[in-house]
């Protein structure tokens, strides 16, 4: 069975900090055995920079 997750990360102060947080999250998710399916950047309804990470992990 496959497990899917969508992770949302926001940072109102800096797009640089948002990017760094996403990089750290991607590294941690990879260590935990997740496959990264997509990473997208946008803004929420308050115009705060936001990233969405979609991951998949095979459950045994």
């Amino acid at each position: 069975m496959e497990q899917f997750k969508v992770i949302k990360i926001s940072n109102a102060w800096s797009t640089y900090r948002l990017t760094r947080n996403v990089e750290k999250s991607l590294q941690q998710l990879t260590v935990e055995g997740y496959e990264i399916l997509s990473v997208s950047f946008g803004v929420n309804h308050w115009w705060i920079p936001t990233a969405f990470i979609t991951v998949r992990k095979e459950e045994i």
Side-chain angles (χ1 to χ4, degrees):
M1 176 181 230
E2 293 180 325
Q3 176 186 4
F4 292 90
K5 284 186 180 182
V6 176
I7 300 159
K8 181 179 93 170
I9 303 171
S10 298
N11 191 308
W13 303 109
S14 166
T15 55
Y16 175 77
R17 287 183 185 167
L18 174 63
T19 305
R20 295 294 300 152
N21 289 341
V22 169
E23 290 172 352
K24 289 177 185 177
S25 296
L26 290 172
Q27 291 172 355
Q28 182 61 37
L29 289 164
T30 302
V31 167
E32 293 174 8
Y34 285 94
E35 176 186 357
I36 309 302
L37 298 177
S38 70
V39 178
S40 60
F41 292 88
V43 292
N44 65 14
H45 58 282
W46 291 301
W47 292 95
I48 295 174
T50 304
F52 297 93
I53 305 170
T54 306
V55 295
R56 173 177 60 192
K57 185 175 186 180
E58 187 69 35
E59 292 290 322
I60 300 174

